[in-house]
Amino acid sequence: MFIWPRMTTGPERLMLESLLDRNRQALIDTARGLSETDARRRLVVSLTTPIGLIKHAATAERIWFQRTLLGLDESACDGYATGDDGSFVVTAGETLADVIAEFERASERSRVIAADFELDDTKAHPRAGDVSLRFVYLLLIEDFARHAGHGDILREQITAAR
């Protein structure tokens, strides 16, 4: 579902933050309103499901803001923070509302962390080398937009199957 940008001009940082928030919301919107069964429906070989995409996005928030920018150990993060297939795993006891709330909490914590950094501030990433806050914003804008596209396709398939 297309969401009009809130901002189309302005300071770079506010534009980046606005686009990231827009893509966070777009990803959530691909799953919101699905039944618990449909949210967990696997239509591809991978672990990708509508609810799993949101769980994975919460992990990405933790990896880039908590682990990379703050330098926290994985055990100190407020949830799963490893970029592997486990980031898509949703337990039987978690609802879609729970996973959306988890992503929203992770996103809010990311906003708080980012507020203490300038766009050009850098931190070392074990695989990418030095990364700036600007890079993190751009990477997650791209990542969440791609996953929202995946979610749109999954939702379309789920809806068509009804």
Side-chain angles (χ1 to χ4, degrees):
M1 166 193 306
F2 182 78
I3 299 170
W4 279 102
R6 288 186 332 225
M7 291 183 65
T8 57
T9 63
E12 179 187 18
R13 183 175 185 134
L14 292 178
M15 294 286 293
L16 292 170
E17 290 169 347
S18 178
L19 286 171
L20 180 54
D21 282 340
R22 176 177 178 248
N23 287 336
R24 286 169 171 143
Q25 188 61 52
L27 181 54
I28 290 169
D29 288 347
T30 66
R32 192 183 303 278
L34 291 175
S35 70
E36 294 298 326
T37 300
D38 284 344
R40 288 172 166 71
R41 187 156 300 178
R42 282 185 62 187
L43 300 168
V44 294
V45 176
S46 71
L47 297 175
T48 305
T49 62
I51 195 172
L53 286 168
I54 297 170
K55 188 79 169 186
H56 174 73
T59 298
E61 295 273 359
R62 291 184 198 103
I63 288 169
W64 288 102
F65 289 95
Q66 295 177 35
R67 291 189 70 189
T68 302
L69 292 180
L70 277 188
L72 296 179
D73 185 71
E74 181 182 356
S75 63
C77 294
D78 59 7
Y80 197 83
T82 302
D84 58 16
D85 282 349
S87 66
F88 288 90
V89 174
V90 179
T91 67
E94 292 177 292
T95 66
L96 179 57
D98 293 337
V99 173
I100 290 172
E102 174 189 351
F103 178 43
E104 289 173 334
R105 282 190 306 275
S107 299
E108 182 54 32
R109 184 158 185 209
S110 296
R111 287 182 199 95
V112 169
I113 291 166
D116 289 335
F117 290 85
E118 298 298 323
L119 288 177
D120 290 325
D121 289 348
T122 61
K123 291 289 184 167
H125 183 274
R127 292 179 61 198
D130 287 342
V131 298
S132 66
L133 174 60
R134 179 183 287 103
F135 170 82
V136 171
Y137 279 159
L138 291 169
L139 181 75
L140 290 181
I141 288 167
E142 182 270 336
D143 193 45
F144 294 166
R146 185 168 19 91
H147 289 322
H150 297 151
D152 284 339
I153 291 167
L154 293 174
R155 186 177 189 115
E156 185 176 320
Q157 290 178 318
I158 290 165
T159 302
R162 287 190 194 142

